[in-house]
Amino acid sequence: MVSRVIPVDDFDLVIFGGTGDLARRKIIPGLYRRFLAGQMPEKARIIGAARGEMDDAGYRKLITDALNEFVPASKRDATTIEDFVAQAHYTPIDAMGDAGWKDLAALMRPDVIRAFYFSVGPRLFGPLAERLHDHKIADDDSRIVVEKPFGRDLESARALNKVLASSFDEHQIYRIDHYLGKETVQNLMAVRFGNILFEPLWNAQYVDHIQITVAETVGVGGRGGYYDKSGAMRDMIQNHLMQLLCLIAMEPPSHFDPDAVRDEKLKVIRALDPVERDEIVRGQYRADDGSPSYIEDSENPKSTTESFIAMRVHVSNWRWKGTPIYLRTGKKLRARASEIAVVFKDPPHSIFGPQEGRRGNVLVIRLQPDEGMNLRVTIKEPGPGGMRLIEVPLDMSFAEALGEEGADIPDAYERLIMDVIRGNQTLFMRGDEVEAAWAWTDPIIAAWEERGDKPKPYDAGSSGPEDALMLLHKDGRRWREIK
Ligand code: NAP
């Protein structure tokens, strides 16, 4: 299969925080891969900007080291890396002060797309937007890319939206949620709306329930201080899992265009019922042989922050009334696995007799590892001996189905950065979506705070606290295994 790479228009991409962890691990390697694919124009420039003093040569060395560390050896080639880093520049700047802004203004080229990636802490988002505007560095067509976290509650998200809106129009603001850049997540839309097969069944009449799981094996060590102020609800549910929920539950948009898609996602968030106390389980990981507990990782002996959440969510509309959606995310769990499972109802009657039972189909959309989809279907067990039924997966691993191209799925960041340059906001969150998500999340967090809720302990390497299993058991269902 021949990959179609359409080069984007010429651009200057300024990465504020261009020396930081995210830039080195994701943004620069993502750009390099697009360069390697032939998508980055020859004259396009990457301009790193941070407070540290450095010249272009120093920055090129820094990003060469980053590529050697974060790009697999099979994708690295000394000459290509040299050509790529030659397109990088550096300019010292202070987001909170005056230093460096005139130099940046002088550096920008006219008549090319200007994009500004805010890869810095969230308190700098507002000051950066204002300075870009005040120094007339941004024009009407310029784009800003804003990293997570976008606020920590409705009030702060509104304040941030307001600050950004005073310097930029909504069509210039790209709020990134890298889950939306994953190939499988977009494939979810292709499968739902590009086939006749699923959509007629995609409702409460045929779907028993949906499970969305994002499980990590790592703890919060290293960023415990940041995480402790956030927790799984703010760090994962409000954004990533909410976005996945929207894509799985939304109505078909009339067109695949940014506002049509985001309008439909917004309707899903607004249709979410408030969550009852017995529909949510919070957890915090314990110490394990030699590995620290959450309390030790966060260095906060009194922490009641959750490193795990399982919850039952209801979308109150015609399509979904009566079909629960279960969300689950946590750290230090059994395996690193993210998936969405649509569990269909059992067939109404088994013609094969009661001993064969009735089996529902399950469509699993795997985000990681091994991106792909599989549909569990019932077939006859081969061989003589009567009509015995078994379940087999109709498997579509992208790596297998698409050959070399499938094995080389673009990382979410590289796709999203190219979308910014192309001016396509479909896979970015709109301001009202983010606010609606906080409006739903805030009362849940407030209720915990009010009653001094303490998360349930769970073992590292487990599937979370016992109560999380019970959440489904009492509904007569069970979680899929985390593997
Ligand atoms: P980081 O490693 O601490 O890097 C911060 C960058 O910002 C550095 O380049 C720093 O350089 C620069 N900086 C700090 N203060 C500045 C100022 N006043 N003016 C200009 N530049 C300044 O942080 P990070 O992990 O890359 O995270 C960046 C953003 O991405 C954060 O919002 C984070 O929440 C988000 N994020 C990160 C990850 C990740 O995996 N790292 C994942 C998702 C989201 P100087 O100190 O030299 O100025």
Side-chain angles (χ1 to χ4, degrees), residues 17 19-22 25 50-52 93-95 119-120 124 147-149:
T19 56
D21 180 66
L22 182 68
R25 264 184 335 112
R51 287 169 305 177
I93 208 157
D94 184 2
S119 182
V120 291
L124 300 182
E147 261 299 334
K148 88 172 208 189

Side-chain angles (χ1 to χ4, degrees), residues 227-240:
Y227 189 90
D228 201 44
K229 294 192 193 72
S230 144
M233 192 68 177
R234 289 190 171 98
D235 193 49
M236 297 298 294
I237 300 270
Q238 186 273 346
N239 40 48
H240 304 316

Side-chain angles (χ1 to χ4, degrees), residues 125 176 187 213 241 258 353 361 365 442:
F125 295 166
I176 212 158
N187 238 315
T213 298
L241 278 88
N361 302 103
I365 298 123
D442 273 4

Side-chain angles (χ1 to χ4, degrees), residues 133-153:
H133 179 259
D134 295 349
H135 287 271
K136 300 193 170 43
I137 297 173
D139 55 33
D140 290 347
D141 191 39
S142 297
R143 294 113 213 228
I144 57 170
V145 184
V146 186
E147 261 299 334
K148 88 172 208 189
F150 198 89
R152 65 182 322 273
D153 52 22

Side-chain angles (χ1 to χ4, degrees), residues 414-432:
E414 56 185 286
R415 162 182 313 277
L416 293 173
I417 296 168
M418 288 300 111
D419 278 356
V420 172
I421 305 300
R422 278 190 286 256
N424 185 343
Q425 288 185 306
T426 310
L427 301 175
F428 295 83
M429 296 179 292
R430 210 167 53 190
D432 51 3

